[in-house]
Amino acid sequence: MVSGDAPQAEGSVRVDVWIWSVRLTKTRAQAAAACRAGHVKVGGERAKPAQAVRVGDEVRLRHAGRDRVVVVSKIVKKRVGPPVAVECFVDNSPPPPPREIAIQVPVRDRGAGRPTKRDRREMERLQGHPQGHPQGHPPGR
């Protein structure tokens, strides 16, 4: 087996490569973009894509609307299968919110037509928008 395929106990690897290798993101480009956008932290500090991670580092990743907190337990340089990927980190992430809470879309009766101004204001009130003009437009615009 090539040394890059097997999990290693020592050394370091780029954070974007490691995040992709252990299947926290689907592509390496997504991992690098998350680093550049400031969604990845290593040891509490924002990480650039080329920053090295070592065994024992805590990696925080904000991806797909969810925070992931993992501790590196093995270094991998190539993408590995899911059973091997799970062995490469300790997941300390908070549990994801239930699907019912995560997706709350207002539902209108079929055939009810376009919402009136009164209906719109009622929907905004239920969604928690402040009274008045939520987008900051002046009246009459």
Side-chain angles (χ1 to χ4, degrees):
M1 190 181 277
V2 180
S3 63
D5 293 340
Q8 300 172 348
E10 77 283 335
S12 65
V13 68
R14 291 172 55 117
V15 68
D16 63 337
V17 172
W18 186 82
I19 288 171
W20 167 73
S21 297
V22 297
R23 297 177 170 265
L24 294 177
T25 59
K26 287 186 179 184
T27 65
R28 184 169 168 199
Q30 283 180 343
C35 292
R36 283 192 300 273
H39 299 297
V40 177
K41 294 182 180 180
V42 176
E45 299 291 322
R46 286 178 60 169
K48 293 183 178 179
Q51 181 172 336
V53 291
R54 293 175 175 76
V55 173
D57 286 347
E58 180 186 73
V59 177
R60 292 179 173 266
L61 170 68
R62 176 95 177 138
H63 181 67
R66 179 170 177 216
D67 288 326
R68 299 292 304 265
V69 181
V70 296
V71 178
V72 179
S73 59
K74 292 181 183 174
I75 298 294
V76 288
K77 295 181 180 177
K78 301 267 184 179
R79 191 161 170 95
V80 293
V84 178
V86 173
E87 298 172 359
C88 297
F89 61 87
V90 177
D91 196 354
N92 296 330
S93 304
R99 288 187 90 126
E100 298 83 35
I101 294 174
I103 302 172
Q104 292 181 343
V105 178
V107 178
R108 287 187 48 86
D109 293 332
R110 185 170 176 92
R114 182 175 172 173
T116 63
K117 184 182 270 190
R118 183 177 183 181
D119 292 339
R120 179 185 54 82
R121 288 181 177 162
E122 181 68 19
M123 286 188 285
E124 288 175 354
R125 187 185 63 77
L126 290 173
Q127 291 175 354
H129 291 286
Q131 292 290 347
H133 303 281
Q135 286 82 25
H137 294 296
R141 190 170 171 194

